[in-house]
Amino acid sequence: MNYKIISSRIRYKFIDLIDKGLKYHIGGTASCLDILVVIFYGKFISLKNKSRDLFILSKGHALGALHSILIDQKLLSEKKIFKLSNEGKIGSQIDIFNLKKFMDWNTGSLGHSIGVSIGFAISNPKKKIWTVIGDAEIDEGSVWEGLFFISERKIKNIIIIIDRNKISATAKIDKKELLDKKLLNQLNLNLYKINGHNHKEIFSCLKKIKSSKKSAIIIANTIKGKGFGIAENNLNYSVNLPSKDILKKIKMSYEK
């Protein structure tokens, strides 16, 4: 599986959708895109399979990556995405009611996905429950309440991936004290730190976790705006969209 080629294809489709008028968040989508590619193309989760593991993209503002993957896998047409958008049925966060076949939970307000994952894990003990959260999101107390609950109750089937791009919607952030190994190791969960853009490293880590009988936290070090030149680590494009000229230049870089 050539994940590099797939990621490039998804990045192109994502930026193409924006160029055609959809409004997505570039920075936070690009930082977790390689992780999502490995999850959905590495046979960890098959969106075609009704009995698949459950997945929550807690940082729902990165839904453009999921839409691009669904289009690439021919599970959803570009025409359908634009129809839903024009009807106001999809916006800047994931809405389970309009794409229920592929989305397992609504997102929007931060900090809830781990609690929801706990409910899913208890009611689906034979499935892995995956959630991708942002590093700004770990400020929420509900995140820590959920982590302690997983540890205390010895829940074994939750995989939490922290997209560690070090930039929130409005500022550069540093959370060394919250992500300190000494603190996280006290939770008695499997703990990994990986390069969130190295496909081989991501795959190897997920493979270990998939076969483990213990819940896990993965801290994935990433770059906000990864692969989009001027948008990389650029606060100006954390929320705001580039100009049409910049979008076309980015597209051209993927067309070569």
Side-chain angles (χ1 to χ4, degrees), residues 39 54-59 112-114 117 129-133 137 158-162 216 218:
I39 290 173
L54 301 180
F55 176 81
I56 303 174
L57 184 61
S58 190
K59 43 177 297 178
H112 299 301
S113 76
I114 294 178
S117 294
I129 314 301
W130 304 66
T131 183
V132 176
I133 74 174
E137 187 172 353
I158 296 177
I159 300 169
I160 299 159
I161 304 173
I162 301 173
I218 304 169

Side-chain angles (χ1 to χ4, degrees), residues 173-186:
I173 57 175
D174 195 359
K175 298 187 179 298
K176 287 179 182 177
E177 70 286 354
L178 290 179
L179 295 175
D180 183 80
K181 264 192 170 185
K182 289 181 181 177
L183 171 62
L184 294 177
N185 280 334
Q186 291 179 39

Side-chain angles (χ1 to χ4, degrees), residues 57-117:
L57 184 61
S58 190
K59 43 177 297 178
H61 53 280
L63 80 168
L66 277 182
H67 289 172
S68 300
I69 287 169
L70 287 167
I71 291 170
D72 186 69
Q73 293 188 346
K74 295 181 172 50
L75 296 172
L76 192 66
S77 69
E78 188 173 310
K79 183 179 179 181
K80 178 70 171 177
I81 287 285
F82 277 94
K83 184 176 185 294
L84 289 171
S85 177
N86 291 335
E87 292 173 352
K89 292 180 178 178
I90 58 172
S92 59
Q93 297 287 343
I94 290 171
D95 182 348
I96 189 175
F97 300 107
N98 295 303
L99 290 173
K100 192 170 185 176
K101 187 176 179 181
F102 310 111
M103 310 297 180
D104 296 317
W105 195 256
N106 284 357
T107 58
S109 298
L110 298 176
H112 299 301
S113 76
I114 294 178
V116 173
S117 294

Side-chain angles (χ1 to χ4, degrees), residues 5 8-13 15-17 19-20 227-228 244-256:
I5 289 175
S8 291
R9 193 167 72 226
I10 301 302
R11 277 189 169 84
Y12 177 82
K13 173 48 63 181
I15 212 74
D16 183 52
L17 292 173
D19 190 36
K20 289 174 179 174
F228 295 138
K244 276 284 188 180
D245 286 343
I246 291 174
L247 286 172
K248 291 195 181 301
K249 285 179 182 177
I250 293 173
K251 280 178 68 176
M252 285 175 63
S253 71
Y254 283 90
E255 290 169 350
K256 293 177 182 178

Side-chain angles (χ1 to χ4, degrees), residues 120-154:
F120 280 162
I122 292 170
S123 59
N124 298 275
K126 293 184 179 180
K127 293 184 179 183
K128 293 286 188 185
I129 314 301
W130 304 66
T131 183
V132 176
I133 74 174
D135 54 355
E137 187 172 353
I138 62 176
D139 283 344
E140 301 290 340
S142 52
V143 168
W144 293 96
E145 289 176 14
L147 290 176
F148 286 122
F149 189 90
I150 293 168
S151 177
E152 289 166 6
R153 298 301 178 95
K154 295 182 171 57

